[in-house]
Amino acid sequence: MPKLTLLLGRRVMQAYDFKQPSIVVGRDDGADVLIDNPSVSRRHAEIRLGDEGWVVEDLGSSNGTFLKGQKIAGAQSIGLGDEIGFGKFSIIFGKAIGEGEVPIARPSPMVDPAPKPRASAMARSDGTMHINPHEVKELLKDSDRKKRAHFIWESGGESGTHYLSDQPAVLIGTDDLCDLRVPKGPKHHVLLMTVKGGCEVRYLAMFGSMTVRGRGTKRTKLRNGDVVEASGLKLTFMDEVA
């Protein structure tokens, strides 16, 4: 039986380990994966075990169900690692992202912390917020971007996010010449860059080092969830979701 990971953009909301052949996703209290968000219909979609394997089918939702970014019609076969989209949310089928770090939990309501849909959306009689095609396209684009490799920086009480697809090599520090200037940290000694097969961080100063996975180092390849610390600067690396 499948493991499912519920995502809001790039953020892992919850992981499930179901033992049943049919899983309903929706806003209704009786849904197996309950998503409390107006862009999701009460009974939005069903993931079920068919004669030839697992399939996903839209249940007449207002905003549609998407498989690998494409809106589906009828039952569609799904396999390990496939992504199924429901408005702002998506489910990775067959595996738990960050397995061993994300606890397997019982299904519970997911409350979307993001802002409510824009006023241009239309509400149906069942309470589902209808999103027009342009908004769906923008949501998918934003969701796709958030799944790309990035890091979250924290420094001097401030924080932010940098996507490596926007700038594959970034020099981080307090100096004006840095690509990413932070209020506290090394002057211009931390370089984060994409390399073949992943992302690498380097500490460029002759003296001193940074800490990665609890160890001092000058250069190392990063894994998903790794934390880099150097002189008051903290970087949390999030790898690309396949």
Side-chain angles (χ1 to χ4, degrees):
M1 294 300 170
K3 292 183 178 180
L4 306 177
T5 302
L6 179 64
L7 305 176
L8 173 57
R10 179 61 172 77
R11 180 183 171 191
V12 175
M13 300 296 290
Q14 190 158 348
Y16 302 90
D17 192 359
F18 286 105
K19 305 297 183 185
Q20 61 207 54
S22 174
I23 301 153
V24 173
V25 180
R27 205 176 72 246
D28 189 84
D29 289 340
D32 301 299
V33 178
L34 176 56
I35 304 175
D36 188 12
N37 183 275
S39 68
V40 178
S41 295
R42 294 186 183 281
R43 287 175 56 84
H44 196 108
E46 181 186 22
I47 299 169
R48 65 177 183 272
L49 182 60
D51 294 336
E52 299 181 0
W54 287 91
V55 298
V56 60
E57 185 173 8
D58 186 81
L59 298 178
S61 68
S62 297
N63 296 314
T65 300
F66 295 77
L67 179 61
K68 303 177 187 177
Q70 300 296 317
K71 191 172 184 178
I72 65 172
Q76 299 290 321
S77 296
I78 50 176
L80 181 67
D82 279 351
E83 182 175 5
I84 307 163
F86 319 93
K88 299 178 181 181
F89 294 81
S90 60
I91 282 176
I92 304 297
F93 176 80
K95 62 180 180 180
I97 302 299
E99 193 168 3
E101 300 172 0
V102 180
I104 302 298
R106 294 179 180 176
S108 62
M110 292 292 100
V111 180
D112 178 12
K116 293 180 180 180
R118 294 179 293 179
S120 60
M122 302 291 292
R124 291 203 332 179
S125 59
D126 67 352
T128 300
M129 190 69 71
H130 180 73
I131 304 175
N132 67 44
H134 173 73
E135 290 173 319
V136 171
K137 185 177 180 180
E138 290 302 312
L139 283 171
L140 288 172
K141 185 187 297 183
D142 184 60
S143 176
D144 178 67
R145 185 171 185 265
K146 290 177 180 178
K147 291 171 203 163
R148 298 174 188 173
H150 66 278
F151 63 86
I152 301 166
W153 63 267
E154 299 173 66
S155 170
E158 298 181 20
S159 64
T161 302
H162 179 87
Y163 291 90
L164 294 170
S165 57
D166 296 337
Q167 188 178 10
V170 55
L171 184 65
I172 308 164
T174 58
D175 193 270
D176 290 339
L177 298 176
C178 291
D179 301 306
L180 175 58
R181 188 180 177 192
V182 294
K184 184 178 181 181
K187 189 174 181 180
H188 46 226
H189 298 146
V190 179
L191 177 65
L192 204 86
M193 60 189 299
T194 54
V195 295
K196 187 176 181 180
C199 180
E200 185 174 278
V201 62
R202 303 178 185 179
Y203 192 82
L204 304 179
M206 183 176 295
F207 301 104
S209 65
M210 59 191 168
T211 301
V212 181
R213 295 190 291 274
R215 294 185 177 184
T217 183
K218 291 276 193 181
R219 177 175 177 175
T220 188
K221 197 168 182 180
L222 295 174
R223 300 194 299 249
N224 185 47
D226 275 351
V227 175
V228 180
E229 294 182 285
S231 304
L233 171 66
K234 180 180 177 181
L235 307 171
T236 303
F237 175 68
M238 304 300 290
D239 204 357
E240 183 173 346
V241 175

